[in-house]
Amino acid sequence: MTQKLLAGTQAPDFALLNADGQKVSLSDYRGSNVIVYFYPEAATPGCTTEACDFRDNLASLQSSGYEVLGISPDAPEKLAAFTGDFALTFPLLSDEDHAVALAYGAWGEKLVNGEVVDGLVRSTVVLDAEGKVTLTQYQIKAQGHVAALKAELGV
């Protein structure tokens, strides 16, 4: 298992391609709180549930000072289809070599259909305006995650 991030530490910076093939850097969000969530695969049931929950709660999160970035190992083309199919209104970023997931502790062993495999572990990391980690959640369940996160953040 990779090293998980700890509250109070500086989050690793990254620059990844979005669904339009444009480079998006974490540093672009300095001055805002950022929710970075990692999901295994676009357009799968759990990932769709979670993405739509973030979409449906985006206005309340943004009005409380939070931006949302979704990261998966999917190619930008797949992210574009996912964004279009579900009218997603926040950036989805492509981490095809899973380097960012590794740096954030969101890549490692997980149980899939009773078998232990290496892969993306559904995770959320919340950063403050300076890019410091304020909250980490690993091995989360998609269903109800956004509501629980909002409650924890006081949104």
Side-chain angles (χ1 to χ4, degrees), residues 19-80:
D20 299 323
Q22 307 290 316
K23 195 162 276 205
V24 175
S25 298
L26 180 60
S27 59
D28 297 342
Y29 290 86
R30 284 291 184 274
S32 297
N33 297 308
V34 183
I35 297 167
V36 181
Y37 85 97
F38 293 87
Y39 62 98
E41 187 178 354
T44 56
C47 297
T48 300
T49 294
E50 188 176 28
C52 291
D53 278 353
F54 272 115
R55 176 201 64 205
D56 296 345
N57 287 280
L58 191 62
S60 64
L61 288 166
Q62 288 178 328
S63 67
S64 296
Y66 291 93
E67 294 297 329
V68 175
L69 298 174
I71 299 178
S72 76
D74 298 306
E77 302 78 30
K78 188 167 183 182
L79 298 178

Side-chain angles (χ1 to χ4, degrees), residues 41-123:
E41 187 178 354
T44 56
C47 297
T48 300
T49 294
E50 188 176 28
C52 291
D53 278 353
F54 272 115
R55 176 201 64 205
D56 296 345
N57 287 280
L58 191 62
S60 64
L61 288 166
Q62 288 178 328
S63 67
S64 296
Y66 291 93
E67 294 297 329
V68 175
L69 298 174
I71 299 178
S72 76
D74 298 306
E77 302 78 30
K78 188 167 183 182
L79 298 178
F82 188 38
T83 297
D85 289 349
F86 295 97
L88 301 178
T89 51
F90 55 89
L92 297 181
L93 306 178
S94 173
D95 184 26
E96 290 185 274
D97 65 0
H98 55 263
V100 176
L102 274 167
Y104 276 68
W107 188 270
E109 287 187 352
K110 63 181 189 172
L111 201 58
V112 177
N113 299 325
E115 189 177 331
V116 177
V117 298
D118 268 352
L120 194 130
V121 177
R122 193 180 304 277
S123 308

